Amino acid sequence: MSENTPPKRRLKSLFFVVLLISLIAASFYWHSNNSKYLVSTSNAYVSGHIVPLDSQTSGTVKWISAEQGDKIKAGQLLVKLDDTDAKNQVKLKEQKLSLEVRNITALRQKTLSLATQVKQIKVSLKMAEDEFSRRKKLRDQAMVSQEELDTSRSKRDELRISHQVAMQKYDESQLLAGTMPIADHPQVKQASVELKAAYIRLSRTNIVAAVSGTVAAKNVHLGQYVETGDLLFRVVQLESSWVEANFKENQLTHLAPGQPVTIISDLYGQDKNYKGKITAIGSGTGAVFSLLPAQNATGNWIKIVQRVPVRVEFEQAIPGNYQLPLGASLQVTVDTSVKVQTLADNEPNHILKTQIYDDPASDSQQKINDIIRSNEGDFALSMAARK
């Protein structure tokens, strides 16, 4: 600074120099004291649920409503299969159920008829026994012939046998017909189960989305014949994505679930920072779960620093204009100065569920009940009238 510089100007320049040195010193002090609590890695990627949508039945594809990149909602109809065979099976099973109900109804009516026959034979048997008793007494007094007594005895014995046969037929018919409501009869229940299975198969010719998300891959085309279990779509749920950060072994010392995390993506750079927190720390290195785990008990072993996956979840839903595709590279920084729960205290709380497959043929039971009622007829009234 020149000697001709005014004192005020020199003082002002000196002040700025001191201020700059102070800021540099403060910044160095802050970084030296706080950077030791920050653990970072660039070996981090966006991960998420990739939901496969498989065909639950076989058939020819005749209708498709989604393409790769489309947004879809849970329950949205995506594919229709040819349902001709499925409808025919439903009709056959409906006819079988109707026939079973009619058979059981007829069997119960037959059981009532057999019960009437048993009563009639029982009355005739009582009369024959009384007649035989009277003739036996008269025979002892020589008032009737032996032939008449033998005839009376034969008639009684025949009616006894007829009564036993009638009782056997009645018991057998009653056992087959049952006394439970017709809908609970084993044969009717079996036919009902088969019909419901046919309804379910028919409903599965309409393939719907199990979850909401984005179609990431489409493997189905018009006219294609698909088998049960064939992969049709892959759906990605970007809204429920998380971060899988792979930290070195020596970086895990102070990491714990619940610690805050700063996330920077290569896609948006420093313009957009995401906030998250650690939710789980892996229980093994990546090498342990690889297809061919390393065998370190060899003579040419070389030590390699291993990495352990750490799950980081976003604190808030990612805005639509800043969505991160699965697999996107990230820079993750954890603030280990925050002391939170330990790994042992971390309890799993991730529950995934869908109600799409709860009852694919929800109205089938009502249809089954209608078929049973329409074929059961007036049997209940007939039974009440005969009592």
Side-chain angles (χ1 to χ4, degrees), residues 108-126:
R108 290 188 174 184
Q109 290 175 342
K110 180 182 178 181
T111 303
L112 289 177
S113 178
L114 290 173
T116 303
Q117 291 180 19
V118 169
K119 290 180 180 178
Q120 291 174 344
I121 295 175
K122 190 175 182 180
V123 171
S124 299
L125 176 59
K126 181 67 170 60

Side-chain angles (χ1 to χ4, degrees), residues 61-288:
V61 178
K62 67 177 185 180
W63 186 86
I64 303 173
S65 69
E67 284 291 342
Q68 186 171 335
D70 288 352
K71 300 283 187 180
I72 59 174
K73 297 290 185 182
Q76 179 180 333
L77 180 60
L78 301 180
V79 176
K80 288 183 180 181
L81 302 180
D82 180 34
D83 56 3
T84 304
D85 292 341
K87 286 182 177 178
N88 289 336
Q89 282 296 314
V90 167
K91 291 179 181 179
L92 289 174
K93 297 303 180 182
E94 287 177 344
Q95 292 174 0
K96 181 179 179 181
L97 176 59
S98 300
L99 185 60
E100 291 292 351
V101 173
R102 289 176 179 270
N103 288 340
I104 300 304
T105 301
L107 189 57
R108 290 188 174 184
Q109 290 175 342
K110 180 182 178 181
T111 303
L112 289 177
S113 178
L114 290 173
T116 303
Q117 291 180 19
V118 169
K119 290 180 180 178
Q120 291 174 344
I121 295 175
K122 190 175 182 180
V123 171
S124 299
L125 176 59
K126 181 67 170 60
M127 293 175 61
E129 289 176 341
D130 293 343
E131 180 68 17
F132 174 74
S133 297
R134 286 194 301 269
R135 289 186 179 277
K136 185 177 181 182
K137 290 179 181 178
L138 293 174
R139 175 59 185 162
D140 293 340
Q141 299 174 7
M143 297 178 66
V144 296
S145 65
Q146 183 64 37
E147 182 180 358
E148 288 180 314
L149 180 63
D150 292 341
T151 301
S152 177
R153 180 185 292 111
S154 297
K155 185 177 180 180
R156 181 202 64 179
D157 293 342
E158 288 177 0
L159 286 172
R160 281 181 176 177
I161 294 174
S162 297
H163 182 261
Q164 291 177 354
V165 172
M167 282 297 298
Q168 289 176 354
K169 290 182 178 180
Y170 170 75
D171 292 340
E172 181 182 357
S173 180
Q174 188 179 44
L175 180 63
L176 293 175
T179 57
M180 72 288 289
I182 287 186
D184 294 333
H185 192 280
Q187 292 177 226
V188 175
K189 288 185 72 173
Q190 180 180 352
S192 299
V193 170
E194 292 178 4
L195 177 55
K196 188 164 187 177
Y199 281 134
I200 291 175
R201 185 182 182 281
L202 176 60
S203 70
R204 285 176 175 171
T205 59
N206 292 329
I207 300 171
V208 299
V211 296
S212 299
T214 303
V215 177
K218 171 176 170 285
N219 302 313
V220 61
H221 306 280
L222 284 176
Q224 177 182 350
Y225 185 85
V226 297
E227 298 281 359
T228 303
D230 283 355
L231 178 63
L232 307 182
F233 295 96
R234 289 185 184 273
V235 180
V236 173
Q237 295 179 284
L238 293 177
E239 294 76 9
S240 60
S241 59
W242 65 89
V243 176
E244 184 171 313
N246 300 293
F247 287 92
K248 296 178 181 179
E249 299 170 81
N250 53 14
Q251 293 179 303
L252 299 175
T253 307
H254 302 292
L255 263 61
Q259 289 175 336
V261 181
T262 301
I263 305 163
I264 300 175
S265 70
D266 290 356
L267 182 61
Y268 302 111
Q270 298 288 343
D271 295 338
K272 176 61 179 177
N273 289 354
Y274 303 88
K275 299 297 182 182
K277 65 177 180 179
I278 295 177
T279 57
I281 297 178
S283 55
T285 66
V288 172

Side-chain angles (χ1 to χ4, degrees), residues 16-78:
F16 279 111
V17 170
V18 172
L19 179 61
L20 180 61
I21 294 174
S22 300
L23 290 175
I24 294 174
S27 176
F28 177 79
Y29 177 80
W30 186 90
H31 280 287
S32 62
N33 283 274
N34 292 278
S35 61
K36 62 181 179 181
Y37 296 112
L38 301 179
V39 180
S40 300
T41 183
S42 59
N43 190 343
Y45 307 91
V46 179
S47 188
H49 298 293
I50 304 176
V51 182
L53 182 60
D54 301 332
S55 175
Q56 293 186 300
T57 188
S58 58
T60 303
V61 178
K62 67 177 185 180
W63 186 86
I64 303 173
S65 69
E67 284 291 342
Q68 186 171 335
D70 288 352
K71 300 283 187 180
I72 59 174
K73 297 290 185 182
Q76 179 180 333
L77 180 60
L78 301 180

